Amino acid sequence: MKNESAPAASKLVLAALAGSILLAALGVSIATVALPTLARAFSAGVQQVQWVVLAYLLAVTAAIVVAGRMGDLYGNRRVLVAGLVLFTSASAACALAPGLGWLIAGRVAQGLGAAILMSLPMSIAKGLVAKERMGTAMGLFGAMSAIGTALGPSLGGVVIGALGWRAAFIMLTLCGAGMLTLALRGVPAERRESGAATNRMDWAGSLWLSILLLCFALAATGSKVGVAIQPWMLLAPAAVALLAFVRTESAAAHPLVPVALVRGRVIVVALVMNLLVGAVMMSTLVVGPFFLSFGLGLSEAETGMVMAVGPIAAALAGVPAGWVTDRFGASRTLPVGLLLAAGGLYGFAVLPVLIGVPGYVVALALITPGFQLFLAANNTAVMAAAADEHRGLFSGLLGLTRNLGFMAGASLLPLLFASLLGGHDLAGSSTQAVGEAFSTTFLAAAGLCALAFFLALLGNTSWRPACP
């Protein structure tokens, strides 16, 4: 079904798609606040209970491209419904888990379902939303992701505090059942393309890609596998899996990721920018609290209040960013978003050190709309360039590069921040030293954003034909 001739998507359809993204975001954010309670409930240490979060993230990362491709081959509606069934069933299993191991296994299954919920809404929107309103839909999806990220810790804290940790997963089960009902009623069945029946899933390529991403993600997050295997040891099997994946894809009749599709400038530039911006976005969430606590001396509650400005601003800016993309075109909106984000990051490096919390809030209020403009425009440009038979794959690749960026931002930029402290721990560093390390770290982040801007200029002419 071509986008130009697509019927107007009903509010029920958009509610089902946006709700699926919200549910997947809640799945990770609501679990983070449960970790201390889980540690007490299962008499486990931090390194053990952190797998409740890591198992979900790793499953999403390893499966998101495969999930998108399955939507292309077997029908986006059918696979989305299967993902909601899996997510809902896994949430119920987590609520009933008798031990930590069972809970982690349930989180793996939940993450596999979430990979589908993250990858397919953009693909379905490509077929149902009119081309001139695609940016608004992408902005709505970005807002739902931000709301899920912001709502999870606060909502989870209230529910867990009142009813215990199992209640959080019962709530996800009920929300999943509601989204499943919406999807069954609202998302129409698709007209299958004539060539879709002859294509087959590249299971060998899918296996190698999943192994590659799993090894890379474990190495990037610094997670130990057992006692003897250190994170850096996983880079060797990741390299082997990469070579095997490339060789498999070259020989496959129906490859998971056709080389010709990702060879074009528009796709390569868009995916690299997505990774860079994802890394910068995550660095604000990971490094920021350390500066607020040790650099400005805020309490945990005060830090949480200041940090909440980012997700709230993202939720408010998501739909307007999509409207701007529809009005002015992705090729114009995207570099403006990157410039705004880069300016905000420079302000992040300067203003908080000079005027404290007000400077932090002002910079965060500049950065967040810039990110939302970029995401709405970049996602719109990529999906506009995607042929109908590969729209699920492209959506999955966008999700993958975003997740890989998040992992890089959660590991590499905090490592830079820590190294700038000169070997001292945070508690033993002066507020001036913490401030200088924070400033330098976000000057580097602004540099990454500037690099993304120059890449946008490189790929801009390629997007013009595909954008309004």
Side-chain angles (χ1 to χ4, degrees):
M1 184 182 295
K2 297 294 183 185
N3 182 268
E4 291 83 356
S5 61
S10 69
K11 292 181 179 179
L12 197 60
V13 174
L14 290 177
L17 300 181
S20 297
I21 291 176
L22 174 65
L23 190 61
L26 275 176
V28 62
S29 64
I30 204 170
T32 58
V33 75
L35 295 184
T37 303
L38 292 171
R40 288 191 293 269
F42 295 114
S43 300
V46 174
Q47 289 186 330
Q48 293 173 295
V49 295
Q50 73 173 350
W51 280 96
V52 173
V53 174
L54 284 175
Y56 185 94
L57 294 174
L58 292 171
V60 169
T61 302
I64 195 166
V65 175
V66 177
R69 186 58 178 152
M70 288 179 68
D72 290 333
L73 295 178
Y74 306 120
N76 285 309
R77 181 184 186 272
R78 181 183 301 174
V79 177
L80 178 67
V81 168
L84 285 166
V85 170
L86 177 57
F87 185 95
T88 304
S89 303
S91 298
C94 289
L96 299 172
L100 184 59
W102 286 100
L103 177 59
I104 292 171
R107 289 285 286 172
V108 171
Q110 201 180 37
L112 294 175
I116 296 174
L117 305 188
M118 290 181 179
S119 64
L120 290 190
M122 284 194 293
S123 176
I124 294 173
K126 161 80 171 176
L128 296 178
V129 178
K131 181 179 179 180
E132 60 272 14
R133 293 187 57 82
M134 182 64 69
T136 300
M138 296 303 166
L140 173 64
F141 296 162
M144 288 300 103
S145 180
I147 290 172
T149 301
L151 187 62
S154 56
L155 182 61
V158 172
V159 171
I160 293 169
L163 301 172
W165 67 267
R166 295 183 190 274
F169 292 103
I170 292 174
M171 184 177 67
L172 289 176
T173 303
L174 297 176
C175 291
M179 288 303 108
L180 178 60
T181 302
L182 277 179
L184 288 171
R185 292 186 58 190
V187 180
E190 298 171 288
R191 177 174 62 84
R192 300 300 301 279
E193 299 293 337
S194 59
T198 62
N199 289 336
R200 294 184 179 89
M201 189 68 187
D202 176 18
W203 293 112
S206 301
L207 176 62
W208 285 118
L209 179 62
S210 296
I211 293 172
L212 164 64
L213 295 174
L214 184 61
C215 291
F216 179 81
L218 284 168
T221 55
S223 305
K224 293 183 179 180
V225 181
V227 178
I229 301 178
Q230 297 296 319
W232 61 268
M233 297 179 183
L234 296 167
L235 295 177
V240 172
L242 174 60
L243 293 174
F245 175 71
V246 172
R247 183 173 181 179
T248 300
E249 296 303 278
S250 300
H254 304 289
L256 175 67
V257 183
V259 176
L261 289 181
V262 296
R263 203 177 267 167
R265 186 170 64 178
V266 58
I267 299 303
V268 172
V269 168
L271 295 180
V272 172
M273 287 191 301
N274 207 41
L275 190 150
L276 290 173
V277 171
V280 174
M281 289 171 64
M282 181 56 70
S283 69
T284 64
L285 298 177
V286 176
V287 179
F290 291 117
F291 172 72
L292 291 172
S293 180
F294 293 94
L296 298 181
L298 301 188
S299 66
E300 286 83 356
E302 291 169 333
T303 298
M305 291 177 63
V306 174
M307 292 294 296
V309 172
I312 292 172
L316 294 175
V319 174
W323 180 87
V324 170
T325 300
D326 286 334
R327 175 65 179 83
F328 299 102
S331 61
R332 296 183 181 93
T333 304
L334 191 149
V336 171
L338 289 173
L339 278 179
L340 184 60
L345 288 165
Y346 179 77
F348 221 41
V350 176
L351 294 179
V353 177
L354 294 178
I355 58 176
V357 173
Y360 193 101
V361 172
V362 168
L364 201 56
L366 288 174
I367 293 169
T368 306
F371 286 155
Q372 292 301 102
L373 285 170
F374 165 80
L375 291 173
N378 197 50
N379 290 346
T380 299
V382 171
M383 296 311 296
D388 283 350
E389 64 269 20
H390 292 118
R391 66 194 194 209
L393 172 64
F394 279 38
S395 180
L397 288 172
L398 282 170
L400 172 64
T401 50
R402 183 179 61 248
N403 279 9
L404 292 178
F406 287 167
M407 290 180 185
S411 55
L412 298 180
L413 286 172
L415 180 63
L416 172 62
F417 175 70
S419 67
L420 292 170
L421 294 175
H424 302 290
D425 58 18
L426 282 164
S429 300
S430 66
T431 56
Q432 181 181 354
V434 173
E436 290 175 353
F438 178 82
S439 295
T440 304
T441 299
F442 279 94
L443 285 175
L448 292 178
C449 209
L451 174 60
F453 173 77
F454 287 115
L455 288 174
L457 297 182
L458 176 67
N460 202 21
T461 56
S462 298
W463 291 333
R464 290 185 187 277
C467 301

